[in-house]
């Protein structure tokens, strides 16, 4: 999330949902990382926008207290974003002891709220939160890219999470290099400086070119080094594949398309194939390196609008992952290429352009009959936030989400963005979720 936080970014996202063709500035997950998945983690965080009554088919769910969900097995997760110091560490340059204490506090909060999974962003911008032989230490740790923090955050996170009964999913952003557009600001040994032909400047940021086979091989090597070193429970990608569209700009991959795009009807089909290959190859390599490790992806919540494709959702989103990010998320689920999917459904029940009550059943139908488990990404960061519509000022909105989703057998859990919002919980929305739905512990699906 850098210059754009999953939450600042979220404000921009409303434009993505309501205005077709509008530019999105992914900042960082699920824009952290996106998240603004934070990083955007999400970066594709859902767009805040004017709420409204469900348009013709998504009736609001009854108050969750009346029908609490009880499940012995369900995923209850949170994203822990490091990009731009969104969640952790709180600022660069803290001592190793202070960083470790903050990390442990986030894990303890997850246990307190009876969560069972932490999705920890360990490669936010072509860097690393472990001693990687491929990429430099993240500047979000020390303030200087390449400088060792004096300890191993990922190794510690895995050990401490497991000691608390938590799964630890290692969250990677495959192609983002930097939240700025100046290669000279990268450490001298950075792979992007050694291979400038791999790099595309776009929207004020730097990205690796997904159309180059050597890039695809390198980013897999860089990410999967962590899987070889640590018993992580899953590899997790957020919503950033090709970058979110920026009005008036084009992603310059013409030379790569000329070299490798033969046989494709158009550049869009070639780009989707590049991302499909990344997903399939990563899945196969995870199975070889550490059998039993899961592979999950958290995309922006709209695959395609029904107006674009009869198989699409009853939405009017300005961004569609298939068309704009070249991520065919529906196919990944239907073909069983991934173990789980967490669509970022960061909109309230009744939001006209992208109604939570319509999107959950749509995703459940997509997952039906596949081996891919469905979890739902929840916009905890919107609750009580300034500028959000009335629905997000109601502490019961998120709890109603879980009640509604409980009516879809394919929904196996929820993930909340993000850790700092779990800690703050300004209007008690997470406390309400815990009281209504998480009264007893649950084991994550395996």
């Amino acid at each position: 999330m850098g210059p754009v936080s999953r939450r600042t970014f979220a404000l921009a996202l409303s434009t993505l949902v309501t205005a077709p063709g509008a530019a999105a500035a992914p900042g960082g997950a699920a824009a952290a990382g996106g998240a603004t998945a934070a990083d955007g983690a999400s970066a594709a965080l859902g767009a805040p926008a004017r709420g409204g009554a469900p348009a013709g088919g998504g009736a609001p769910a009854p108050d969750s207290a009346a029908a609490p969900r009880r499940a012995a097995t369900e995923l209850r997760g949170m994203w822990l974003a490091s990009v731009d110091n969104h969640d952790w560490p709180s600022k660069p340059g803290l001592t190793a002891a202070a960083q470790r204490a903050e990390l442990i506090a986030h894990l303890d909060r997850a246990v307190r709220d009876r969560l069972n999974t932490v999705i920890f962003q360990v490669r936010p911008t072509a860097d690393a939160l472990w001693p990687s032989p491929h990429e430099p230490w993240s500047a979000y740790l020390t303030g200087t890219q390449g400088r060792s923090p004096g300890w191993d955050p990922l190794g510690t996170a895995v050990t401490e999470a497991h000691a608390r009964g938590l799964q630890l999913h290692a969250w990677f952003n495959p192609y983002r290099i930097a939240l700025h557009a100046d290669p000279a600001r990268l450490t001298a040994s950075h792979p992007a400086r050694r291979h400038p032909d791999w790099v595309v400047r776009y929207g004020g940021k730097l990205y690796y070119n997904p159309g180059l086979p050597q890039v695809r091989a390198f980013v897999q090597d860089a990410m999967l080094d962590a899987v070889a070193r640590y018993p992580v429970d899953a590899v997790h990608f957020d919503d950033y594949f090709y970058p979110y569209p920026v009005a008036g700009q084009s992603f310059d991959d013409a030379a790569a398309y000329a070299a490798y795009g033969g046989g494709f009807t158009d550049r869009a089909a070639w780009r989707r194939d590049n991302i499909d290959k990344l997903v399939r190859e990563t899945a196969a390599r995870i199975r070889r390196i550490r059998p039993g490790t899961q592979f999950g992806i958290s995309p922006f919540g709209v695959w395609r609008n029904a107006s674009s494709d009869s198989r699409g959702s009853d939405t009017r989103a300005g961004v569609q992952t298939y068309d704009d990010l070249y991520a065919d998320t529906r196919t990944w689920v239907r073909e069983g290429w991934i173990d789980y999917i967490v669509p970022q459904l960061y909109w309230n029940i009744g939001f006209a352009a992208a109604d939570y009550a319509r999107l959950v059943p749509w995703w459940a139908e997509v997952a039906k009959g596949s081996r891919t488990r469905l979890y739902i990404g929840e916009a905890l960061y919107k609750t009580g936030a300034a500028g959000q519509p009335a629905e997000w000022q109601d502490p019961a909105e998120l709890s109603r989400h879980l009640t509604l989703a409980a009516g879809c057998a394919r929904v196996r859990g929820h993930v909340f963005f993000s850790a700092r919002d779990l800690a703050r919980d300004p209007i008690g929305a997470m406390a309400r979720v815990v009281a209504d739905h998480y009264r007893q512990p649950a084991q994550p699906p395996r």
Side-chain angles (χ1 to χ4, degrees):
M1 309 173 297
V4 188
S5 77
R6 208 173 182 152
R7 300 359 174 180
T8 301
F9 175 69
L11 295 173
L13 263 198
S14 49
T15 318
L16 302 183
V17 175
T18 58
T36 52
D39 137 355
S42 230
L45 305 178
R50 187 178 68 78
D63 186 278
S64 58
R69 180 171 183 166
R70 290 291 171 268
T73 303
E74 65 176 353
L75 188 130
R76 301 173 181 176
M78 73 174 186
W79 280 289
L80 178 58
S82 58
V83 67
D84 207 28
N85 300 103
H86 184 271
D87 293 322
W88 178 90
S90 59
K91 61 182 179 181
L94 296 176
T95 66
Q99 290 180 1
R100 186 181 187 281
E102 288 188 353
L103 178 61
I104 295 302
H106 283 301
L107 300 180
D108 286 341
R109 287 189 193 100
V111 172
R112 176 200 66 190
D113 285 348
R114 301 190 188 95
L115 305 185
N116 53 35
T117 301
V118 173
I119 301 175
F120 182 32
Q121 189 177 31
V122 298
R123 186 182 184 263
T125 51
D127 51 12
L129 269 65
W130 76 95
S132 168
H134 302 285
E135 294 181 306
W137 281 105
S138 177
Y140 301 125
L141 296 171
T142 64
T144 301
Q145 190 174 66
R147 179 182 294 171
S148 171
W151 69 300
D152 181 354
L154 175 53
T156 299
V158 172
T159 298
E160 296 294 340
H162 289 172
R164 288 162 174 76
L166 298 167
Q167 284 198 358
L168 196 291
H169 295 201
W171 166 15
F172 306 89
N173 186 289
Y175 292 119
R176 183 176 54 227
I177 297 172
L179 301 181
H180 58 75
D182 182 4
R185 290 173 56 185
L186 304 173
T187 189
S189 62
H190 198 289
R193 293 188 66 175
R194 290 187 282 109
H195 301 280
D197 54 312
W198 291 3
V199 179
V200 178
R201 290 181 177 87
Y202 180 77
K205 299 178 177 66
L206 299 174
Y207 298 91
Y208 283 126
N209 188 343
L212 298 176
Q214 59 269 41
V215 163
R216 192 170 67 249
F218 168 76
V219 298
Q220 290 178 50
D221 289 345
M223 295 184 294
L224 298 180
D225 175 70
V227 179
R229 289 171 181 262
Y230 308 102
V232 297
D233 296 287
V235 167
H236 184 92
F237 289 174
D238 53 33
D239 49 308
Y240 287 101
F241 295 98
Y242 280 85
Y244 280 80
V246 176
Q249 298 191 32
S250 60
F251 189 84
D252 185 8
D253 56 359
Y257 180 50
Y260 301 105
F264 290 92
T265 56
D266 55 37
R267 197 180 303 191
W270 170 72
R271 286 175 173 176
R272 278 189 290 274
D273 185 68
N274 293 331
I275 303 304
D276 285 350
K277 285 175 179 173
L278 173 73
V279 171
R280 292 198 308 270
E281 291 171 5
T282 300
R285 291 186 65 178
I286 291 169
R287 288 193 295 270
R288 290 197 300 269
I289 293 169
R290 194 177 290 276
T293 301
Q294 304 168 69
F295 181 28
I297 297 178
S298 173
F300 181 76
V302 176
W303 172 70
R304 301 191 89 188
N305 298 321
S307 60
S308 300
D309 189 318
S310 61
R311 299 169 298 172
S313 52
D314 182 12
T315 50
R316 296 188 299 280
V319 165
Q320 304 168 87
T321 63
Y322 182 93
D323 303 273
D324 298 302
L325 308 183
Y326 307 98
D328 190 0
T329 54
R330 182 181 183 277
T331 291
W332 305 345
V333 173
R334 299 298 301 163
E335 297 297 323
W337 294 349
I338 55 179
D339 296 301
Y340 70 80
I341 193 162
V342 194
Q344 296 174 23
L345 303 190
Y346 293 159
W347 304 289
N348 56 272
I349 295 170
F351 177 53
D355 187 349
Y356 184 94
R358 292 178 180 275
L359 279 164
V360 169
W362 185 87
W363 278 104
E365 186 63 26
V366 168
K368 184 178 179 180
S370 81
R371 63 172 289 272
T372 304
R373 291 187 293 272
L374 172 63
Y375 310 131
I376 304 298
E378 301 287 352
L380 176 61
Y381 73 95
K382 286 188 175 182
T383 59
Q388 294 294 338
E391 289 82 356
W392 292 109
Q393 310 308 321
D394 182 353
E397 174 69 19
L398 274 189
S399 187
R400 284 192 286 266
H401 288 198
L402 272 66
T403 297
L404 185 151
C408 295
R410 292 298 307 182
V411 177
R412 303 290 304 280
H414 301 259
V415 184
F416 300 90
F417 192 84
S418 66
R420 73 179 184 185
D421 305 290
L422 194 81
R424 295 171 181 172
D425 200 17
I427 60 171
M430 192 66 202
R432 180 68 177 266
V433 167
V434 174
D436 291 350
H437 301 276
Y438 295 169
R439 295 175 192 162
Q440 301 298 324
Q443 291 298 313
R446 296 181 183 273

